[in-house]
């Protein structure tokens, strides 16, 4: 059963109690909240996600509830709980959905050490995975949103999950977070994309989330082999430039973006080495999104792919 | 630094290697640090990993590996690299 099959009233009621169990990639998430705004956002942006049985088992139990401190009288706030513990400062209640998304990323990064986890957008086409490891502000989510509206499959907008033993990439498709000017760029580039409301005054500026394509959610169990690593850099009016990157340097740049490379120790090194060996690596500067998408879609099948 | 003084990989550290495009990537299991080394520095470290060696012995090893004469191997550069490796905790003097 998918979330879209629930009426708004059913979704609100279930989220309040006992919560919903949602499948996201390899994880089951138990979400509980009395906030109707969050139910509305989940109905909008998680419509295609599959519900699992309410059997009490979940990888992460999260709860978002109104904060009851004195500020709630003039500035209603929301708290994020993971397994019953609140780890973060409360945020304005309007930011409940971004808080859920940040919180879910945090849950994965904190505990899913069965994978090498890289801060990266990840897409796939014809069985080949393209990874964009990059710090915030590099344009990776913009590229990711553009590509998934031009036939690429969304594996993740934020976290590349690399399986240490097999080296494949585990999908974790969830809404794509766009920031600032990128929101309008994607509205213009893909008018059919479903983009949620804009949240202003977050720590990251204005953000909005793109609903993941239905097919990406339907295929969220299908892993794929890494083929390309591209380090993106958006520069206004820059020509599109795709330049091969030496692998040792690429190794260090990807390691810089990995959340748990050090935690995994020798296994992290072996997994990273396998990933780098399997991929052609490039730096990529772009200023025009259409040209960037064309360039990336024309990437040759990697010479070094297994 | 005495050129006859021997060096070895720091006790308790294993070094894991990959080589791409003329550069070594080395992982030190003892510290958890990863290093990128050029061919010269990488071969210095590989020689010490094979067996404890002095700067002079490393020069002989490099001459063989890089097909140079011993005179062509810059001993000063070896001692600089050894000092840096020592600072990074990759190697230690043999007592």
């Amino acid at each position: 059963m998918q979330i879209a099959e629930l009426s708004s009233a059913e979704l609100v009621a279930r989220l309040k109690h006992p919560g919903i169990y949602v499948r996201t990639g390899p994880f089951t998430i138990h979400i509980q909240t009395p906030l109707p705004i969050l139910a509305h956002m989940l109905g909008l942006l998680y419509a295609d996600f599959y519900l699992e049985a309410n059997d009490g088992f979940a990888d992460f139990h999260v709860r978002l509830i109104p904060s009851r401190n004195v500020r709630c009288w003039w500035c209603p706030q929301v708290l994020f709980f993971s397994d019953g513990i609140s780890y973060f400062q409360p945020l304005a209640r309007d930011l409940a959905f971004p808080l859920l998304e940040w919180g879910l990323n945090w849950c994965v990064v904190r505990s899913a050490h069965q994978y090498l986890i890289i801060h990266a957008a990840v897409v796939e086409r014809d069985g080949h995975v393209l990874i964009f490891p990059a710090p915030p502000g590099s344009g990776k989510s913009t590229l990711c949103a553009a590509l998934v509206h031009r036939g690429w499959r969304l594996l993740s907008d934020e976290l590349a999950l690399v399986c240490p033993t097999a080296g494949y990439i585990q999908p974790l498709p969830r809404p794509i977070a766009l920031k600032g000017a990128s929101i309008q760029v994607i509205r213009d580039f893909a008018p059919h994309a479903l983009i949620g409301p804009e949240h202003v005054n977050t720590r990251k500026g204005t953000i909005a989330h793109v609903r993941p394509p239905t097919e990406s959610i339907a295929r969220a169990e299908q892993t794929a082999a890494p083929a390309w690593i591209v380090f993106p850099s958006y520069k206004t009016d820059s020509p599109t430039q795709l330049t091969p990157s030496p692998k040792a340097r690429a190794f260090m740049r990807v390691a810089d973006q990995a959340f748990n490379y050090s935690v995994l120790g020798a296994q992290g090194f072996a997994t990273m080495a396998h990933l780098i060996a399997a991929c052609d690596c490039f730096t990529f500067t772009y200023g025009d999104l259409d040209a960037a998408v064309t360039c990336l879609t024309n990437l040759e099948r990697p010479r070094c792919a297994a | 630094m005495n050129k006859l003084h021997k060096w070895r990989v720091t006790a308790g550290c294993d070094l894991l290697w990959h080589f791409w495009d003329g550069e070594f990537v080395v992982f030190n299991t003892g510290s958890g640090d990863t290093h990128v080394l050029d061919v010269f520095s990488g071969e210095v470290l590989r020689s010490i990993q094979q067996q404890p060696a002095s700067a002079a012995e490393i020069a002989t090893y490099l001459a063989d590996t890089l097909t140079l004469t011993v005179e062509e191997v810059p001993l000063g550069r070896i001692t600089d690299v050894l000092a840096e490796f020592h600072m990074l905790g990759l190697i230690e003097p043999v007592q």
Side-chain angles (χ1 to χ4, degrees), chain A residues 230-247:
Chain A
V230 172
F231 302 102
S233 173
Y234 172 78
K235 287 182 186 161
T236 309
D237 298 330
S238 167
T240 305
Q241 270 187 311
L242 186 71
T243 310
S245 174
K247 291 209 173 200

Side-chain angles (χ1 to χ4, degrees), chain A:
Chain A
M1 184 181 198
Q2 290 169 292
I3 287 182
E5 295 175 57
L6 295 175
S7 70
S8 298
E10 283 175 318
L11 185 55
V12 168
R14 279 214 205 177
L15 278 165
K16 195 169 182 182
H17 185 78
I20 59 172
Y21 290 75
V22 186
R23 192 72 183 165
T24 62
F27 309 114
T28 299
I29 303 166
H30 175 213
I31 306 172
Q32 203 177 8
T33 181
L35 298 170
I37 179 68
L38 201 49
H40 170 71
M41 293 294 289
L42 286 165
L44 186 69
L45 297 171
Y46 276 72
D48 296 319
F49 284 68
Y50 291 87
L51 292 167
E52 303 229 313
N54 283 14
D55 58 5
F57 173 79
D59 295 281
F60 312 115
H61 295 268
V62 303
R63 200 156 52 98
L64 286 96
I65 59 171
S67 170
R68 297 293 179 201
N69 62 24
V70 68
R71 284 172 61 99
C72 71
W73 295 106
W74 70 90
C75 177
Q77 292 185 310
V78 60
L79 280 164
F80 177 93
F81 286 79
S82 171
D83 292 332
I85 300 172
S86 174
Y87 292 93
F88 310 117
Q89 293 293 315
L91 291 184
R93 205 169 295 175
D94 293 347
L95 300 179
F97 186 75
L99 180 60
L100 171 67
E101 288 297 302
W102 292 327
L104 292 179
N105 288 338
W106 177 83
C107 287
V108 173
V109 166
R110 177 171 168 256
S111 58
H113 299 309
Q114 66 270 41
Y115 301 104
L116 175 65
I117 306 172
I118 300 162
H119 184 218
V122 195
V123 294
E124 175 264 347
R125 189 182 174 104
D126 299 330
H128 301 300
V129 172
L130 167 54
I131 303 172
F132 297 109
S138 305
K140 69 180 189 312
S141 293
T142 313
L143 279 175
C144 176
L147 288 167
V148 301
H149 288 92
R150 289 291 187 278
W152 291 69
R153 174 163 70 113
L154 174 68
L155 271 60
S156 177
D157 165 47
E158 200 68 23
L159 303 173
L161 304 180
V162 188
C163 176
T165 48
Y168 59 70
I169 307 298
Q170 171 68 54
L172 181 61
R174 298 219 321 269
I176 301 167
L178 297 175
K179 301 171 204 73
S182 293
I183 300 167
Q184 190 57 46
V185 167
I186 293 301
R187 285 192 201 282
D188 294 339
F189 183 85
H192 56 291
L194 197 159
I195 303 178
E198 296 186 12
H199 304 278
V200 297
N201 296 327
T202 78
R203 279 170 297 175
K204 299 186 174 191
T206 299
I207 61 171
H209 295 82
V210 183
R211 182 157 93 183
T214 302
E215 193 211 351
S216 298
I217 304 305
R219 296 176 59 198
E221 308 283 327
Q222 293 179 20
T223 60
W228 306 282
I229 292 172
V230 172
F231 302 102
S233 173
Y234 172 78
K235 287 182 186 161
T236 309
D237 298 330
S238 167
T240 305
Q241 270 187 311
L242 186 71
T243 310
S245 174
K247 291 209 173 200
R249 304 288 153 170
F251 186 112
M252 298 305 281
R253 288 185 74 174
V254 179
D256 276 347
Q257 295 302 319
F259 289 101
N260 60 348
Y261 172 71
S262 298
V263 174
L264 296 179
Q267 187 184 47
F269 178 78
T271 305
M272 188 70 78
H274 189 272
L275 175 69
I276 297 294
C279 292
D280 283 348
C281 305
F282 303 93
T283 56
F284 184 58
T285 308
Y286 73 100
D288 178 82
L289 195 54
D290 279 299
V293 167
T294 300
C295 176
L296 294 171
T297 301
N298 290 333
L299 275 169
E300 285 183 25
R301 190 176 171 153
R303 294 178 300 274
C304 46

Side-chain angles (χ1 to χ4, degrees), chain B:
Chain B
M1 186 182 293
N2 186 333
K3 70 177 183 178
L4 299 176
H5 197 110
K6 284 186 185 276
W7 295 88
R8 68 182 177 197
V9 172
T10 302
C13 296
D14 282 331
L15 302 180
L16 309 178
W17 297 79
H18 269 276
F19 182 78
W20 287 296
D21 309 325
E23 291 179 303
F24 290 99
V25 180
V26 186
F27 181 73
N28 179 352
T29 60
S31 66
D33 291 335
T34 308
H35 308 275
V36 175
L37 307 177
D38 61 19
V39 170
F40 185 89
S41 304
E43 292 296 352
V44 169
L45 190 55
R46 273 158 52 99
S47 73
I48 297 171
Q49 190 180 24
Q50 287 178 15
Q51 60 181 21
S54 65
E57 290 167 335
I58 292 167
T60 304
Y61 169 89
L62 290 181
D64 287 346
T65 305
L66 305 176
T67 54
L68 303 167
T69 65
V70 174
E71 291 72 30
E72 288 174 313
V73 177
L75 199 57
R77 192 171 161 202
I78 293 175
T79 55
D80 288 347
V81 168
L82 289 172
E84 190 151 352
F85 286 165
H86 187 212
M87 191 183 71
L88 292 169
L90 286 163
I91 62 172
E92 62 187 6
V94 176
Q95 300 300 325

